[in-house]
């Protein structure tokens, strides 16, 4: 199974992605995690990505596409994967489509997790207090939400037009949301 996971910052994408990949025994590819790892190991990509991330901006498309083009060709991806936080822009979605075409693969579903804005801010502020992530401060959170609305939300229509969009309510108990997602995919 090949999935894309979408949703605004704070909707619980990462948590649900982890649970859904365990259920379906597929690889969880979080570009946020991948980029944080590149920063920690001080690679060229990490050095280039860091300032954008700390500022709540998106890392440039060509960097993400180069990284994912390599990553999706690795053996562990052949049985399926869940893309968490990628694509985040229209050019990334188009780039992903051409990587997939090259690999003779296609996406099964794009899951969009939804929640209202007040709930999202509440969750992000809580996460910021716990995680110590540099990009979970209130100012950067607001910027990431704006970036989401401008650049990522249009992907919902992109996948709706491809007829692979599934919308799932992201409010409720963690286990209930996981059940909703799994039910929507089987
Ligand atoms: P996340 O952990 O998914 O919230 O991502 C954290 C940060 O990493 C984002 O605010 C972006 O700066 C960067 N990032 C993650 N995925 C992407 C992507 N697909 N395109 C551009 N930037 C990304």
């Amino acid at each position: 199974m090949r999935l894309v996971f979408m949703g605004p910052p704070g909707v619980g994408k990462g948590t649900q992605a982890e649970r859904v990949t365990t259920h379906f025994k597929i690889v969880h590819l979080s570009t946020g995690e991948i980029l944080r790892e590149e920063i920690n190991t001080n690679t060229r990509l990490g050095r280039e990505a860091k300032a954008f991330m700390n500022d709540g901006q998106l890392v440039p498309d060509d960097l993400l596409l180069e990284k994912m083009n390599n990553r999706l060709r690795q053996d562990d991806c052949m049985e399926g994967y869940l893309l968490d936080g990628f694509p985040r822009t229209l050019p990334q979605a188009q780039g992903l489509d051409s990587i997939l075409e090259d690999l003779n693969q296609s996406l099964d579903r794009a899951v969009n997790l939804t929640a209202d804005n007040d709930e999202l801010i509440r969750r992000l502020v809580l996460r910021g207090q716990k995680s110590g992530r540099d990009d979970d401060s209130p100012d950067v959170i607001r910027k990431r939400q704006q970036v989401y609305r401008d650049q990522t939300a249009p992907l919902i229509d992109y996948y709706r037009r491809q007829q692979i969009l599934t919308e799932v309510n992201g409010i409720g108990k963690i286990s209930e949301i996981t059940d909703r997602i799994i039910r929507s995919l089987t």
Side-chain angles (χ1 to χ4, degrees):
M1 170 137 35
R2 286 180 286 271
L3 304 174
V4 162
F5 245 46
M6 298 185 298
V11 76
K13 243 185 318 128
T15 304
Q16 292 301 331
E18 198 60 58
R19 296 169 63 91
V20 170
T21 50
T22 303
H23 179 87
F24 289 114
K25 299 191 176 63
I26 52 176
V27 183
H28 177 192
L29 297 178
S30 154
T31 44
E33 286 297 324
I34 290 171
L35 291 169
R36 283 188 284 278
E37 181 62 27
E38 299 275 336
I39 291 175
N40 287 338
T41 51
N42 195 24
T43 61
R44 177 183 61 89
L45 172 57
R47 287 192 296 275
E48 287 176 339
K50 189 172 180 174
F52 294 102
M53 288 174 74
N54 286 345
D55 192 36
Q57 291 186 58
L58 294 182
V59 174
D61 292 333
D62 54 337
L63 295 181
L64 262 300
L65 282 167
E66 186 190 338
K67 179 72 192 174
M68 294 309 279
N69 187 29
N70 293 328
R71 186 65 188 86
L72 291 172
R73 286 167 203 277
Q74 288 174 16
D75 284 348
D76 61 345
C77 289
M78 295 306 140
E79 300 300 318
Y81 44 78
L82 182 159
L83 302 178
D84 166 11
F86 175 87
R88 274 259 228 305
T89 66
L90 225 38
Q92 286 182 21
Q94 289 158 343
L96 173 62
D97 279 348
S98 60
I99 294 170
L100 292 175
E101 204 178 305
D102 207 45
L103 285 166
N104 243 321
Q105 294 179 352
S106 58
L107 294 172
D108 293 298
R109 229 48 106 64
V111 175
N112 184 34
L113 271 183
T114 58
D116 71 44
N117 211 35
D118 290 347
E119 172 70 15
L120 293 173
I121 294 190
R122 202 181 60 79
R123 289 192 198 179
L124 280 166
V125 169
L126 269 179
R127 184 172 86 185
Q129 287 162 355
K130 287 197 200 134
S131 75
R133 256 176 66 166
D134 289 345
D135 59 350
D136 274 342
S137 71
D139 275 359
V140 179
I141 288 170
R142 264 190 291 278
K143 191 129 161 220
R144 283 167 49 219
Q145 289 185 319
Q146 188 63 45
V147 166
Y148 172 81
R149 278 193 290 273
D150 294 346
Q151 303 196 57
T152 308
L155 296 185
I156 297 168
D157 268 339
Y158 183 82
Y159 289 118
R160 187 178 285 126
R161 277 198 296 273
Q162 290 194 3
Q163 299 187 333
I164 57 170
L165 182 75
T166 301
E167 303 220 63
V168 177
N169 177 1
I171 305 256
K173 272 175 49 191
I174 289 179
S175 60
E176 281 168 7
I177 301 166
T178 311
D179 288 347
R180 275 179 216 148
I181 298 171
I182 291 170
R183 256 185 281 123
S184 79
L185 294 173
T186 45

